[in-house]
Amino acid sequence: MASLRGMQQPELSKKLFKIIKSENHAIGAYESASRERISIASQISDWGEATGDDSISDISDKVGVLLSEMGEQEDLFAQNLEDYRSVLKQIRNTESSVQPSRDNKAKVTEEIQRLKYKEPQSTKLVQLEQELVRAEAQNLVAEAQTRQKLKEAYDLHSAAVIERGEKQILLARHMRRLVQLLDDTPLVPGDVRPAFEHSAQARQVLNDAEEDLREWQPSFDPIPSSATEMGSNLMPASVTGDTTSTVEPSVVGGEDAPAQTESPLEKREISGSTMVPGEGYHQQQQQQ
């Protein structure tokens, strides 16, 4: 059914339809990766406990906590990509709804040229020129929305990529701290491995990771938009005198962006180890 809808759309909308569909597959892959990573986290914890080695059990359990958080970050990334994909849908709807106006503009332009050549005194020219002005105005509205939404879409996309990358790096660095606590000194027959003495340090690594996630802040500036300089009729405010209005979403496209809901990650526990992550860039933007 979705493929049928794509075939019925104008050419530009078809291309966007394909992009949106492909992004849906990509998002599904990240969601799948999230589930697999969380499953692996549980498995590594179970394996460590089964070894009967206190040091391996402690370290593997806490590595599992960090792996689980990495999986949750993949899921958050997928949610943020879905927000970006929603904006692409708005662009597609705009392109689809304005196409009749574009076709009409081309038709009217051709008719005006024909009359100017064959009947330059025709009274129909005035009517056609007025119709052409209306068509051009509709196209300008669509162009303004497309540019605004394209910037918004890839503002969301790039912010999500940076947030995911920085948080994954943060977690990986703490994981390296954990692994360093494991003594891998070779033993000879008759030697006894000393008892694991770094449980408190290992717990502190998780506490530090939790705090770092909670205090994470975007390391980039939002992409500015000149759409705020447009009046309520999508004409430049300097022309209309309207300096307070902003571009209303989907004036042409017919589909508002879905309300974004906060999606804080749930508190997780693996064999008693817990972590509560902090807020992401998108959640901060929603609160502002």
Side-chain angles (χ1 to χ4, degrees):
M1 194 67 183
S3 298
L4 181 59
R5 288 200 304 270
M7 292 175 60
Q8 294 173 340
Q9 295 177 2
E11 189 61 32
L12 285 177
S13 296
K14 285 181 183 179
K15 292 180 181 295
L16 279 168
F17 182 89
K18 186 175 181 180
I19 293 171
I20 291 165
K21 187 175 181 180
S22 297
E23 285 288 4
N24 191 44
H25 294 319
I27 290 170
Y30 285 116
E31 290 172 338
S32 177
S34 170
R35 292 189 296 269
E36 292 295 333
R37 180 59 59 200
I38 293 171
S39 174
I40 292 169
S42 179
Q43 292 174 45
I44 193 67
S45 178
D46 291 344
W47 169 82
E49 185 177 6
T51 64
D53 186 314
D54 289 343
S55 57
I56 291 179
S57 178
D58 197 339
I59 294 299
S60 64
D61 180 63
K62 290 175 174 57
V63 165
V65 173
L66 294 178
L67 285 174
S68 178
E69 176 61 28
M70 288 178 173
E72 294 289 353
Q73 290 299 323
E74 290 297 290
D75 187 62
L76 176 62
F77 180 56
Q79 294 175 38
N80 290 339
L81 287 185
E82 191 61 54
D83 293 338
Y84 140 78
R85 183 169 170 267
S86 296
V87 181
L88 290 184
K89 290 180 180 180
Q90 295 178 52
I91 300 175
R92 176 202 61 195
N93 292 342
T94 297
E95 292 294 326
S96 180
S97 63
V98 81
Q99 190 59 46
S101 175
R102 287 174 176 161
D103 294 340
N104 183 55
K105 177 186 174 183
K107 181 180 178 181
V108 171
T109 301
E110 183 179 344
E111 180 65 13
I112 288 175
Q113 294 301 321
R114 189 188 67 81
L115 284 177
K116 284 184 176 181
Y117 178 73
K118 292 187 175 181
E119 304 177 50
Q121 304 302 320
S122 174
T123 55
K124 192 178 180 181
L125 276 173
V126 175
Q127 178 184 346
L128 289 173
E129 287 172 348
Q130 290 175 346
E131 188 174 345
L132 180 61
V133 169
R134 287 193 295 269
E136 288 177 339
Q138 290 175 331
N139 290 337
L140 287 174
V141 169
E143 180 185 346
Q145 279 204 330
T146 296
R147 287 170 177 266
Q148 177 200 2
K149 292 301 179 181
L150 186 62
K151 290 183 72 172
E152 179 183 346
Y154 284 95
D155 183 7
L156 292 173
H157 186 287
S158 57
V161 171
I162 294 172
E163 177 178 349
R164 169 180 176 252
E166 291 184 352
K167 288 184 175 180
Q168 295 286 26
I169 290 172
L170 181 156
L171 291 166
R173 291 189 186 282
H174 287 297
M175 186 181 294
R176 293 176 67 83
R177 290 177 59 200
L178 270 178
V179 175
Q180 289 177 19
L181 298 176
L182 187 63
D183 181 13
D184 62 349
T185 304
L187 295 180
V188 297
D191 287 350
V192 177
R193 178 78 63 186
F196 187 59
E197 300 177 348
H198 302 298
S199 294
Q201 289 176 261
R203 163 52 60 183
Q204 187 59 45
V205 170
L206 289 191
N207 291 340
D208 292 345
E210 177 183 340
E211 183 177 359
D212 285 348
L213 280 178
R214 185 183 297 113
E215 295 181 353
W216 180 88
Q217 294 290 334
S219 60
F220 50 88
D221 296 325
I223 296 176
S225 173
S226 298
T228 55
E229 299 174 8
M230 302 183 73
S232 57
N233 60 352
L234 293 183
M235 293 296 287
S238 59
V239 175
T240 62
D242 182 354
T243 59
T244 59
S245 300
T246 59
V247 179
E248 295 296 328
S250 300
V251 173
V252 175
E255 179 180 310
D256 292 340
Q260 297 181 8
T261 57
E262 290 188 2
S263 54
L265 301 179
E266 296 180 354
K267 186 175 183 180
R268 289 176 302 291
E269 180 171 348
I270 298 181
S271 302
S273 299
T274 60
M275 177 177 292
V276 183
E279 296 176 344
Y281 170 72
H282 288 231
Q283 290 172 279
Q284 295 173 8
Q285 293 295 94
Q286 292 163 10
Q287 295 171 0
Q288 292 177 356

